Amino acid sequence: MIISSGIASDDELDEIGFAPVSSPDAAHQTQEHSFSVGHEHHGERLDRVLAQLLPDSSRSFLQQLIDSGDVLIGGVSASKAASKLKAGQELIVRQRPLPQDTAFHPDAAVAKTLTVVHEDPHLMIINKAPGLVVHPAAGNWSGTLLNGLLAHHECHTLLPRAGIVHRLDKDTSGLMVVARTREAMDALIRMIAAREVKRQYLAMAHYPWQGMSPRQVDAPIGRDPRNRQRMAVVDLAQYPGKEATTDFELLSNSEHSAQYLRREDAQRALNKASKSSTDEISADAFCLLRCILHTGRTHQIRVHAAHVHHPLIADAIYGGRPAGGLERQGLHAERLAFTHPITSEEMVFEAGLPADMRQACEVLGLGYNIAD
């Protein structure tokens, strides 16, 4: 089965663990705890009494409750943690839902925006739009793909992570497979681990591609030891990480690449290359690459591309800059192929470049044809 779509999404796949997706409605409502101050607490500080009454809460959290006016003494919001209590006073503590408490709520608005390329009783293929976060996490507790899936169909409420078996980065567009039954989910997870799910990406990168094409990059990836917020190619003898392999194939160099290479060669010959001149001449030199993943490490394509001195356009984390009007990293999951885990049918899905990347290709002089 081959289905093509002109709308796209981007990023690499990454195996993930599980967490339940449902939580009681009560957890998403403001709760009140009422206490009567006993003689044993007469004259004690408010914060110390709260710590005894709510032993599972940290002192900093209790201080936040006081500061937000959610601790009431005799119906009046307490103003100080050091307030002294009197026997017989009524103490009320309001606990409002935290952002993460609503992380697993259905979101019909997100569900309406999903581009469903294929759907059957066991799985679905989604063409993820750039900017859509896949799973709730700090900073993005709502409005995610997971929230949309929960509203799309009740079958997703019965599955860990709503049936999500791999990730794409927020700003990566493209094809994702999502399970609709537990049997399909377990099978897809095994298939991804066994590298039986084939995935292919299109990447827009800085500088013209030189040398071998296709080229295989085999370099382990782990947390950057100098910046734990990003990934990096690491030496496994010194740092934790996992083996990672990506194939890069040149599809097009920009129209100005030849001029870039001539100027670079001239500077190298004169031994006068400088950071400023390199920055200047790189402004009009780019390449369009096809990337094939053999492993599924976090940020794998982005890290490997930067490692071979071709950071992706607009990927600020790994050295890229906006270009051609593209403000998000130039990465799109264009092809997904696997054997259906239940029916054994061969499944192949393709999604052409999204509008923003297609327009950037035109501006930068990068030829693109999905049939290549």
Side-chain angles (χ1 to χ4, degrees):
M1 175 184 296
I2 300 181
I3 300 179
S4 297
S5 170
I7 306 174
S9 330
D10 91 82
D11 217 327
E12 299 114 283
L13 295 131
D14 193 20
E15 297 92 74
I16 55 177
F18 303 121
V21 299
S22 60
S23 53
D25 287 341
H28 308 293
Q29 302 173 359
T30 298
Q31 300 181 27
E32 288 192 356
H33 303 276
S34 180
F35 307 95
S36 179
V37 178
H39 291 287
E40 68 275 18
H41 294 309
H42 181 78
E44 286 192 36
R45 287 170 52 110
L46 172 62
D47 54 354
R48 292 178 181 174
V49 173
L50 287 177
Q52 296 177 53
L53 296 176
L54 300 172
D56 293 333
S57 299
S58 67
R59 287 185 177 270
S60 62
F61 175 71
L62 295 176
Q63 181 64 56
Q64 291 176 26
L65 290 177
I66 296 171
D67 293 341
S68 62
D70 288 321
V71 177
L72 288 74
I73 304 174
V76 179
S77 294
S79 59
K80 298 179 180 178
S83 298
K84 298 297 180 64
L85 298 178
K86 298 179 181 180
Q89 285 182 320
E90 182 185 30
L91 189 61
I92 295 177
V93 179
R94 293 177 184 154
Q95 288 187 279
R96 303 180 188 276
L98 299 173
Q100 54 266 41
D101 293 332
T102 59
F104 302 109
H105 267 190
D107 190 327
V110 175
K112 290 178 181 179
T113 68
L114 297 180
T115 300
V116 179
V117 176
H118 167 81
E119 189 169 12
D120 65 43
H122 306 286
L123 56 82
M124 63 192 298
I125 305 297
I126 293 172
N127 194 357
K128 189 186 85 66
L132 179 62
V133 175
V134 170
H135 191 274
N140 295 103
W141 291 116
S142 60
T144 69
L145 171 60
L146 182 144
N147 301 118
L149 291 173
L150 294 177
H152 179 74
H153 194 279
E154 63 181 4
C155 68
H156 296 286
T157 67
L158 306 176
L159 297 172
R161 293 189 184 268
I164 295 171
V165 295
H166 66 91
R167 288 194 184 100
L168 292 182
D169 288 342
K170 173 185 176 181
D171 289 327
T172 298
S173 56
L175 298 171
M176 291 183 62
V177 58
V178 177
R180 303 188 73 220
T181 64
R182 188 57 190 258
E183 181 181 8
M185 186 171 196
D186 292 343
L188 286 169
I189 292 169
R190 289 194 298 268
M191 292 167 64
I192 290 173
R195 304 179 186 178
E196 296 171 358
V197 176
K198 307 302 180 184
R199 57 264 205 195
Q200 189 168 284
Y201 298 75
L202 294 174
M204 299 178 66
H206 289 279
Y207 310 112
W209 188 268
Q210 304 178 61
M212 185 184 302
S213 174
R215 173 183 176 183
Q216 185 168 97
V217 177
D218 190 1
I221 292 175
R223 288 286 171 189
D224 188 332
R226 295 170 296 181
N227 181 354
R228 302 294 294 174
Q229 301 302 311
R230 50 175 267 166
M231 310 302 288
V233 169
V234 297
D235 181 351
L236 295 181
Q238 300 183 59
Y239 304 104
K242 294 181 179 180
E243 297 291 347
T245 303
T246 309
D247 290 341
F248 291 98
E249 176 188 357
L250 174 65
L251 297 182
S252 175
N253 275 331
S254 64
E255 295 173 351
H256 302 290
S257 292
Q259 180 183 3
Y260 168 90
L261 294 173
R262 286 195 298 270
R263 293 167 67 179
E264 185 184 58
D265 288 343
Q267 286 186 331
R268 188 181 297 112
L270 294 172
N271 195 26
K272 292 183 179 180
S274 66
K275 185 177 187 299
S276 59
S277 61
T278 300
D279 284 346
E280 180 182 352
I281 61 178
S282 69
D284 57 2
F286 305 92
C287 60
L288 177 65
L289 306 172
R290 175 167 285 138
C291 315
I292 298 176
L293 288 178
H294 295 282
T295 51
R297 310 307 176 210
T298 300
H299 298 178
Q300 179 173 319
I301 291 175
R302 299 164 61 187
V303 172
H304 276 174
H307 180 63
V308 295
H309 310 296
H310 291 281
L312 301 191
I313 290 176
D315 187 1
I317 294 178
Y318 297 105
R321 299 184 301 277
L326 193 64
E327 299 291 336
R328 56 97 173 181
Q329 65 206 30
L331 187 60
H332 172 71
E334 71 156 346
R335 192 173 191 272
L336 191 61
F338 59 94
T339 301
H340 195 292
I342 308 301
T343 68
S344 297
E345 179 184 1
E346 293 301 317
M347 314 289 286
V348 180
F349 301 93
E350 295 177 345
L353 280 177
D356 61 345
M357 289 182 67
R358 187 178 291 273
Q359 181 177 1
C361 280
E362 294 177 1
V363 172
L364 301 176
L366 291 167
Y368 164 70
N369 186 340
I370 196 170
D372 286 346

